Amino acid sequence: MRQEEHDDNAGTAAEPIPVTRDVRGGTARLLPDLDRPRAWLLTVDGAPQSYVDLDDPGHLEFEYARRVGHALDAAAGPGEPLDALHLGGGALTLPRYVAATRPGSRQRVAEPDAELAAFVAEHLPLPDSAAVTVCAADGRAELEAAEPGSYDAVLADAYGGPHVPAHLTTLPYAHAAARALRPGGVYAANLADAAPLRFVASQVATFGAVFEHLALLAEPAVLRGRRFGNLVLLAGDAPLPLAELTRRCAADPFPARVTHGAELERLRGTAAPVADGDAVPSPRPPDGAFSIG
């Protein structure tokens, strides 16, 4: 959002300036991208959370978001509307993407930080054409309250600070996701891990106990445990469009691999599904892994 104030001498619009607010999760800041006139980076306590270009909601800056976008692009025919539930809202990057690429989609966003949601709504309003409902709710509670077969896609990008919350990693949670999806629907989760990928292995085991088909999208360096990074887990009751996902991920500016089948089973190893009583959050990123100086 470009500021409306004008310089008295120049008479031209001022450059956009950062906006800051304290929210439940910490200090939220919106930082302008000077290379894209109405693009903004949302950070919380210095960690990047979302990137939004108000003029081009189809632009996905973050690598993990592009991978979720590839899954959404392949989830149905071109432009076909989807009913989607988003667990975690941030600056609503993916709801904006779905609204732009699949007009007529109906979307619901569960964002537990009401102050963050209000901050985003004030400074980065959704277009009037977007049928997106944002509610101040815990993602798992919203998922468990959903009517069976309500959604074509459930997208989990929910972080409590630097972690995926423990209660969003368990077998009952996976069953709730399966219950909320329609036949042929897809679950996608943004996860983060590093060698030896024990957290991701536990998620493969957990969702593999509920869904017949799984795939993992990530950069090869992350899959090999060479660095901490994001991995996107996909799950469904029907075969995933692996060939199309492989093509899209390979063509990305930062190519990713699509891991599935026996290779994914090897990654899982001896990991077992996670019970509620045994759940732990995702590992903390190394200092500086995602921070903005």
Side-chain angles (χ1 to χ4, degrees):
M1 182 181 68
R2 186 171 292 276
Q3 301 292 314
E4 296 298 328
E5 292 84 356
H6 291 73
D7 184 276
D8 290 338
N9 295 321
T12 57
E15 291 293 343
I17 60 174
V19 186
T20 302
R21 182 174 300 174
D22 289 334
V23 297
R24 193 182 83 179
T27 299
R29 299 188 76 203
L30 286 170
L31 305 172
D33 182 346
L34 300 182
D35 293 328
R36 301 176 74 97
R38 295 210 316 144
W40 295 85
L41 173 69
L42 170 68
T43 69
V44 178
D45 285 347
Q49 298 291 321
S50 304
Y51 180 101
V52 168
D53 187 334
L54 296 178
D55 290 334
D56 183 10
H59 173 72
L60 299 176
E61 182 76 8
F62 290 176
E63 295 161 27
Y64 86 83
R66 289 198 298 275
R67 287 162 198 150
V68 176
H70 297 330
L72 288 167
D73 292 343
E80 184 178 331
L82 295 176
D83 291 337
L85 174 63
H86 302 260
L87 310 182
L92 307 178
T93 302
L94 288 168
R96 297 173 202 268
Y97 180 81
V98 172
T101 59
R102 297 183 177 278
S105 294
R106 295 178 297 179
Q107 302 182 81
R108 188 169 179 85
V109 179
E111 170 52 65
D113 192 331
E115 294 170 331
L116 178 61
F119 179 56
V120 169
E122 177 182 351
H123 293 283
L124 305 177
L126 289 163
D128 293 338
S129 60
V132 178
T133 301
V134 181
C135 58
D138 172 76
R140 178 161 167 178
E142 189 69 23
L143 189 63
E144 291 175 341
E147 291 293 324
S150 298
Y151 296 104
D152 302 300
V154 172
L155 311 173
D157 188 14
Y159 278 73
H163 306 284
V164 177
H167 70 294
L168 303 184
T169 69
T170 70
L171 195 57
Y173 166 78
H175 278 293
R179 176 178 169 274
L181 284 168
R182 292 175 181 144
V186 63
Y187 172 86
N190 173 32
L191 308 176
D193 203 358
L197 298 178
R198 290 194 182 109
F199 174 74
V200 166
S202 76
Q203 294 307 285
V204 171
T206 299
F207 281 83
V210 176
F211 291 91
E212 185 175 354
H213 301 277
L214 299 180
L216 196 64
L217 282 52
E219 281 191 62
V222 177
L223 284 168
R224 292 174 185 145
R226 293 179 180 170
R227 68 173 182 86
F228 190 96
N230 295 96
L231 308 94
V232 173
L233 177 66
L234 303 181
D237 66 351
L240 299 168
L242 297 174
E244 185 173 356
L245 288 169
T246 298
R247 177 179 59 81
R248 290 175 181 270
C249 287
D252 194 85
F254 293 90
R257 285 181 57 192
V258 179
T259 301
H260 59 93
E263 189 176 3
L264 195 58
E265 282 300 306
R266 285 194 294 272
L267 185 151
R268 169 188 170 174
T270 59
V274 180
D276 273 338
D278 300 326
V280 296
S282 64
R284 184 179 184 86
D287 289 343
F290 299 125
S291 63
I292 298 294

